[in-house]
Amino acid sequence: MNPRLTRRHFLHATMIIAVAFQEAGQHTAAGRKSRILVSRIQSMMSGRRSDNGGTRTLSSTTYTSTTSMTVESCVNFCTTGSNSYIYAGVEYAQECYCGNTFAAGATNVSLTDCNMPCTGNSSEYCGAGNRLNVYWSGTQPPPSPVTVPSVGNWFSIGCYNDSAAARTLAYGTAVTGGVTVESCTTACYNAGYPLAGMEYSDECYCGSAILNGAGPTPLTDCDMTCAGNSSEFCGGPNRLDMYNYTGTLPVPGGGGTGGTGGTGGGPAPVTSGLTGNWTYGACYVDNAYGRVLGNEHDDPATTVESCIAFCSASNFTIAGIEYSTQCFCGDYLVNGAVQAPATDCNMACGGNAAEACGGPNRLSVYSSTGNITLLPVPSVQNSNLPGQWSYKGCLPEPAIGARLFPYEIDWTTNNTVDACLNQCAAFGYPVAGLEYGEQCFCGDLSDVTASGSSYIADSNCNIPCSGDPIHFCGGLSKLTTYYWTGTPMNVWNTPSNIGRYEFLIGGLVVPLIATVGINNKVTFLEKAGTSEFSNSTGAYELDLSLTDNYLLAWREMHVKSDINVGGWSLASTYGVRLYTPDGSAGVNGTNDWEENVNELTLQRGRWYPTAMMMPNGSILVVGGETGSNASPQPSLEILPKVPGGDTVITLDYLVRTDPNNLYPFLIVLPSGRIFIGYYNEARVLDPVTFDTVTVLPNMPGAVNNFLAGRTYPMEGSAMVLPQYPPYTDPLEILICGGSTPGAAVALDNCVTIAPEVENPTWTLERMPSKRVMPCMVTLPDGTYLILNGAHQGVAGFGLATDPNLSAILYDPSRPVSQRMSILNNTIVARLYHSEATLLTDGRVLVSGSDPQTYYPNGTEVYPEEMRIEFTITETDWDLGGQGTTATMRISLIAASSSTHGNVMSGGRVIFPEFTCSGNTCTITAPPNAYVCPPNWHQLFILDGPTPSHSAWVRIGGDPGQLGNWPDYPDFTLPGV
């Protein structure tokens, strides 16, 4: 770095420790803005100084440049034109400060602390966060600034506290030239006010009374020098140097007659010649209870015409001009506006002395419609609330920069109490807060309890709603708070039997896909060559009857390239892999995974597509990309390929939503049509042409982000809800979990829809916790186990944190929002590439996790997980119990493979009709392939909630002749 300056008389004065203070009258979107200040200088100047922690060390004038700040430009700024300061300081790469004195209490720090390159010259240092490089001209400082005791008939009455939210003096006033004690008192005298106050170096305020309970503070609090005269003090942060006029004040506005006809020689309203339909309304009182118009535009050359042009260009219907140079716009007057005498609007426009442009707290109001709507002083909305909401009170945020509630929605122009409460209720949040007029927050009562905040006077929540000016929507760091006091929004059951996790066996592979075969063994696959073990074949089969003997339980199998259909690169993206299960309990099979891309191939290379069995027995393959994180493959095709040329169909909606639509959800509907869910959208397709029959509403996402998604990489999971005879009820689809773009906050809700009803809509149910990358498993009793995943992140290597260790049981037989029960926790993090699989005895096999998340030293945060667990969700068995047909049920669960949260069969479960006579029961199969696409099924007999071991049955045969496909000698054909 080069510390040399082009201005040779300045000496580098080493580093300054910075302190933070709250700047008066400046706010971020959340109502707050902090400035970093400095406080230390080299002993060669004036010795070591400590900082008082509340003021600017160089406080005379300042500027910021995010792109072109240099040491030279700051020095030039501090010494050119009206600026003739002896000290210049640069901070935080982009900020320049000037002054002739230093705040009391400066102390030295190490020069190495100032290590941020200047935004305009990366070879120079411009301070750092809370650090300032200071340069000195070599000139001795002028005399220390003083509090001016009097100016003519104006006398100092001391230093007073002030606040941007509750002004001590009501009227901010423009001055001629820079702010000094003389220029501010002159401006207030000319405006007819007996009180004048200077604040924050460059702000001037006037008033007729001291407001909002303000009072004196120590004179040393007012220690910022005037922007126009560094020998005088002009207040400080939230502090006013106050002066009182003891003589006779003039008539405001120079004593002009005002009026409406322009007679008498004074300024007058414009009553003719205005553009369009604009007409003069009247003179109105401003600021009696707050501003009656917003959208301020100040211009020293303001005229009635220029203000109307400004408001009209922004599509406002009302324009108001005040205090000669201030233009305001809106569609109505708020805060209890009332008319004032016409003669009160008697100040000449800054750009035309013949026109009246309001007066002190007086607005000359014009309308483009001929109507001026007056709205009352805003109040708390504590009645006529939607739903079962009740007003609770005004609640402060726990600390500056901290948030009491986790979910923020910003509505800069349309925030209302009703809108906020309805949004929170729609997503299952029973506490809502509104802040800063335009912010809506949603959360839980536990958030209030955890914050430790206590309710304060309602008067602190005093900012009108951006979309409803007659009601308050919080204040600065204050929340107008409402509670849901009716029927609980969410009932999360806590049963006495919460199941348990048990270790089953050590694994050999992190499965990207897990499948229970009709041989009752579980096959696991991962991409070839990706194991941490060099001798791994990437494919293994687990014999559940031998899990007490690790060496015998696992059978080595082999995979050539990848899993399922498609692959991650090159030829593997065209691959189709087949395995015909054989062997039996305790007896190894001999069949293996088979693949030959030169014989059996997709028409398009695909990475992360979905495959689904269609009612006619063929396989529908949809979506994906051309390779791992490559260009989209937004199309579908059929296996086996029909004779002829290319039969691939492009889907424009997959083009539009890539890359957030991988592993789309596919489900056969009872009409034979096909449901497809992708990203946050869904539609119903014709099963022959694959044209869109119905575009469904978008899936709800997060309460504060409608762009949240449900398919990879913002990965959720989807299931078909149970079907019952006579199969005439609409089929419902359940989708749980997902994530948001950007911050990747996992979703805490499930949504359901019946796609084929008239005007279908999504129903949202909140989960007890957030979850992305969940696994869902259909259980024999028609409930659904939800487990694995994370509270934050998206699917992919190293892209998720904070594992969700809990398990949830979803029971669709219960009322909506009462369907979830909280089950036991695991101690094993199951993140990316984890699976959950229903076994033939009703247990759930939990496996895998390969998040590849590392600490900076290279060690794993969450290790590659090969341990295999199982869960038992129903352990309440009676000793010696004997079932009867009175409590007996039969369920059929479709065979499936699952990967990345996508159960390829949709986890379909059917409860068929049956009759029993003696020890013999007759089961009636589902009526058609639309209700039950052809497949193998696990048949369970249940005595109450307790399942039997399953038996495999095939329903619907093999209409697609897949048992004889592909007809090549290197493929095993089981026959039809």
Side-chain angles (χ1 to χ4, degrees):
M1 295 290 176
N2 179 10
R4 292 179 298 172
L5 296 178
T6 57
R7 301 186 63 84
R8 59 181 179 176
H9 297 297
F10 263 71
L11 301 176
H12 186 222
T14 192
M15 311 287 310
I16 295 173
I17 295 175
V19 295
F21 73 97
Q22 188 73 28
E23 286 197 292
Q26 298 190 30
H27 305 283
T28 65
R32 296 169 289 274
K33 181 178 178 182
S34 294
R35 166 75 65 184
I36 302 301
L37 296 186
V38 298
S39 74
R40 168 205 181 223
I41 162 165
Q42 189 182 23
S43 58
M44 62 175 281
M45 296 184 183
S46 51
R48 288 180 178 267
R49 301 168 183 260
S50 62
D51 184 32
N52 66 14
T55 63
R56 202 190 287 272
T57 298
L58 297 178
S59 61
S60 294
T61 188
T62 180
Y63 87 98
T64 299
S65 175
T66 59
T67 58
S68 58
M69 179 62 69
T70 66
V71 173
E72 292 84 357
S73 66
C74 181
V75 168
N76 186 63
F77 172 77
C78 292
T79 58
T80 301
S82 61
N83 296 335
S84 55
Y85 300 101
I86 66 170
Y87 298 125
V90 281
E91 179 182 342
Y92 207 67
Q94 62 187 13
E95 300 171 358
C96 173
Y97 299 94
C98 310
N100 287 325
T101 60
F102 293 88
T107 55
N108 287 335
V109 295
S110 171
L111 184 65
T112 58
D113 284 8
C114 282
N115 55 15
M116 293 186 71
C118 302
T119 59
N121 185 347
S122 60
S123 68
E124 297 178 351
Y125 286 125
C126 280
N130 296 345
R131 297 294 185 270
L132 187 84
N133 284 101
V134 175
Y135 295 85
W136 177 36
S137 70
T139 302
Q140 291 303 310
S144 298
V146 298
T147 300
V148 176
S150 64
V151 178
N153 288 329
W154 290 91
F155 289 88
S156 171
I157 58 174
C159 185
Y160 279 67
N161 63 294
D162 191 25
S163 165
R167 286 294 183 199
T168 300
L169 298 179
Y171 314 116
T173 305
V175 302
T176 301
V179 170
T180 65
V181 174
E182 292 78 8
S183 66
C184 183
T185 53
T186 298
C188 294
Y189 172 85
N190 290 336
Y193 293 109
L195 294 173
M198 297 107 253
E199 180 172 338
Y200 206 60
S201 183
D202 59 1
E203 298 173 3
C204 175
Y205 296 90
C206 306
S208 299
I210 296 174
L211 306 176
N212 293 307
T217 65
L219 191 62
T220 53
D221 285 3
C222 289
D223 56 2
M224 295 183 72
T225 58
C226 300
N229 184 348
S230 61
S231 69
E232 302 175 350
F233 283 123
C234 278
N238 292 330
R239 293 296 185 269
L240 284 162
D241 264 310
M242 290 275 282
Y243 290 80
N244 180 42
Y245 189 72
T246 59
T248 302
L249 290 166
V251 178
T257 61
T260 59
T263 61
V270 178
T271 56
S272 63
L274 296 174
T275 184
N277 296 319
W278 285 88
T279 57
Y280 177 65
C283 181
Y284 281 84
V285 175
D286 188 25
N287 234 0
Y289 303 100
R291 287 291 188 193
V292 299
L293 273 177
N295 306 291
E296 181 175 353
H297 174 67
D298 294 348
D299 182 355
T302 292
T303 65
V304 171
E305 291 82 1
S306 69
C307 182
I308 287 175
F310 174 78
C311 295
S312 182
S314 301
N315 296 316
F316 291 111
T317 60
I318 292 178
I321 311 99
E322 181 171 336
Y323 209 67
S324 295
T325 59
Q326 298 172 335
C327 172
F328 298 87
C329 308
D331 292 315
Y332 33 73
L333 302 186
V334 299
N335 283 321
V338 296
Q339 285 193 28
T343 53
D344 282 9
C345 288
N346 56 16
M347 292 185 70
C349 296
N352 187 340
E355 296 179 354
C357 278
N361 280 336
R362 296 296 185 268
L363 276 166
S364 297
V365 177
Y366 293 79
S367 170
S368 66
T369 65
N371 296 317
I372 298 176
T373 301
L374 307 180
L375 298 180
V377 175
S379 61
V380 173
Q381 185 175 343
N382 53 21
S383 61
N384 298 318
L385 298 170
Q388 295 173 298
W389 289 94
S390 297
Y391 174 66
K392 182 63 177 176
C394 183
L395 191 63
E397 294 279 16
I400 293 176
R403 289 300 192 199
L404 197 153
F405 297 117
Y407 296 101
E408 177 181 345
I409 309 156
D410 292 337
W411 286 322
T412 57
T413 61
N414 59 346
N415 193 31
T416 68
V417 172
D418 282 13
C420 182
L421 301 188
N422 286 332
Q423 182 73 358
C424 294
F427 285 81
Y429 298 100
V431 180
L434 300 100
E435 183 173 334
Y436 202 59
E438 60 189 35
Q439 297 171 332
C440 167
F441 293 88
C442 301
D444 295 290
L445 185 57
S446 58
D447 297 320
V448 179
T449 303
S451 74
S453 294
S454 299
Y455 286 93
I456 58 178
D458 286 355
S459 57
N460 289 277
C461 289
N462 54 13
I463 299 179
C465 304
S466 63
D468 178 13
I470 69 171
H471 291 119
F472 289 126
C473 282
L476 300 179
S477 297
K478 309 294 189 301
L479 292 146
T480 301
T481 307
Y482 296 84
Y483 287 1
W484 180 269
T485 56
T487 303
M489 288 183 176
N490 314 290
V491 176
W492 297 318
N493 304 293
T494 54
S496 57
N497 176 20
I498 59 175
R500 68 178 184 271
Y501 285 84
E502 294 181 353
F503 175 74
L504 180 63
I505 192 172
L508 295 173
V509 65
V510 175
L512 275 65
I513 192 166
T515 307
V516 176
I518 60 173
N519 60 358
N520 290 334
K521 301 181 181 184
V522 188
T523 60
F524 299 94
L525 284 179
E526 69 176 349
K527 286 183 286 191
T530 60
S531 174
E532 64 177 287
F533 303 115
S534 59
N535 62 345
S536 173
T537 65
Y540 295 89
E541 186 173 62
L542 176 63
D543 189 330
L544 296 168
S545 70
L546 299 174
T547 53
D548 59 346
N549 189 323
Y550 181 85
L551 296 177
L552 296 178
W554 291 102
R555 176 168 80 97
E556 180 181 295
M557 301 177 74
H558 306 83
V559 61
K560 291 183 178 179
S561 63
D562 217 311
I563 66 169
N564 195 24
V565 175
W568 71 285
S569 69
L570 303 174
S572 72
T573 63
Y574 291 86
V576 178
R577 299 151 198 95
L578 302 175
Y579 166 55
T580 302
D582 64 340
S584 59
V587 179
N588 280 343
T590 58
N591 292 340
D592 206 339
W593 285 97
E594 297 168 343
E595 175 184 2
N596 187 335
V597 73
N598 296 317
E599 297 172 343
L600 178 59
T601 180
L602 295 170
Q603 297 178 69
R604 298 286 189 276
R606 299 179 187 276
W607 176 73
Y608 286 10
T610 297
M612 182 199 75
M613 184 74 73
M614 295 183 64
N616 64 2
S618 58
I619 300 169
L620 176 64
V621 182
V622 179
E625 294 180 337
T626 59
S628 176
N629 297 310
S631 58
Q633 188 58 268
S635 61
L636 63 80
E637 59 183 284
I638 299 293
L639 292 173
K641 180 183 177 298
V642 298
D646 191 303
T647 58
V648 172
I649 298 174
T650 299
L651 306 173
D652 65 323
Y653 44 87
L654 293 187
V655 177
R656 174 172 46 78
T657 55
D658 180 80
N660 297 319
N661 58 25
L662 306 186
Y663 283 126
F665 304 133
L666 296 176
I667 293 168
V668 176
L669 301 174
S671 66
R673 293 169 174 164
I674 298 168
F675 169 91
I676 178 172
Y678 53 95
Y679 179 36
N680 62 3
E681 300 179 10
R683 58 186 64 208
V684 176
L685 307 180
D686 183 276
V688 177
T689 65
F690 299 104
D691 292 337
T692 297
V693 177
T694 306
V695 176
L696 298 171
N698 280 15
M699 305 175 199
V703 66
N704 62 342
N705 195 336
F706 65 91
L707 296 175
R710 304 282 183 172
T711 52
Y712 184 99
M714 292 183 275
E715 182 181 301
S717 188
M719 290 286 183
V720 178
L721 292 187
Q723 296 170 271
Y724 299 91
Y727 310 106
T728 54
D729 289 339
L731 182 73
E732 290 187 86
I733 295 169
L734 169 71
I735 302 176
C736 292
S739 192
T740 59
V745 178
L747 302 185
D748 64 355
N749 59 65
C750 296
V751 292
T752 54
I753 194 171
E756 296 194 294
V757 302
E758 186 176 359
N759 299 319
T761 58
W762 293 94
T763 297
L764 184 143
E765 298 172 274
R766 192 171 161 212
M767 293 191 291
S769 58
K770 296 176 288 188
R771 200 181 297 263
V772 62
M773 298 181 294
C775 294
M776 288 177 62
V777 183
T778 306
L779 301 181
D781 63 351
T783 60
Y784 299 84
L785 184 65
I786 307 170
L787 68 172
N788 297 356
H791 294 102
Q792 184 279 332
V794 295
F797 292 127
L799 300 181
T801 60
D802 192 10
N804 191 327
L805 303 177
S806 70
I808 301 298
L809 189 69
Y810 182 91
D811 185 353
S813 68
R814 291 177 175 266
V816 170
S817 296
Q818 300 180 30
R819 294 176 170 178
M820 298 189 197
S821 296
I822 301 173
L823 302 184
N824 218 332
N825 287 0
T826 181
I827 61 171
V828 181
R830 302 285 186 179
L831 299 166
Y832 189 48
H833 288 165
S834 64
E835 295 297 331
T837 309
L838 177 67
L839 301 180
T840 58
D841 59 4
R843 295 181 298 172
V844 174
L845 188 76
V846 185
S847 59
S849 186
D850 187 19
Q852 296 190 20
T853 304
Y854 301 97
Y855 291 110
N857 64 5
T859 60
E860 292 177 314
V861 179
Y862 310 112
E864 188 174 60
E865 187 56 66
M866 294 192 182
R867 288 175 290 178
I868 296 177
E869 303 170 284
F870 63 87
T871 66
I872 303 173
T873 58
E874 177 53 52
T875 58
D876 190 14
W877 298 2
D878 292 333
L879 290 172
Q882 187 173 11
T884 68
T885 58
T887 59
M888 188 173 118
R889 291 183 296 163
I890 293 175
S891 63
L892 296 164
I893 297 181
S896 66
S897 294
S898 65
T899 182
H900 295 79
N902 192 339
V903 179
M904 299 291 178
S905 71
R908 191 179 298 265
V909 58
I910 296 171
F911 288 86
E913 285 187 299
F914 66 92
T915 58
C916 295
S917 177
N919 293 328
T920 301
C921 293
T922 301
I923 301 172
T924 303
N928 57 58
Y930 302 150
V931 171
C932 179
N935 202 348
W936 285 91
H937 294 74
Q938 292 189 68
L939 186 151
F940 289 93
I941 298 176
L942 297 103
D943 180 14
T946 307
S948 67
H949 282 247
S950 67
W952 286 99
V953 296
R954 187 167 74 168
I955 301 175
D958 184 8
Q961 301 290 301
L962 297 180
N964 294 328
W965 168 81
D967 189 13
Y968 294 104
D970 51 343
F971 283 87
T972 301
L973 301 180
V976 297

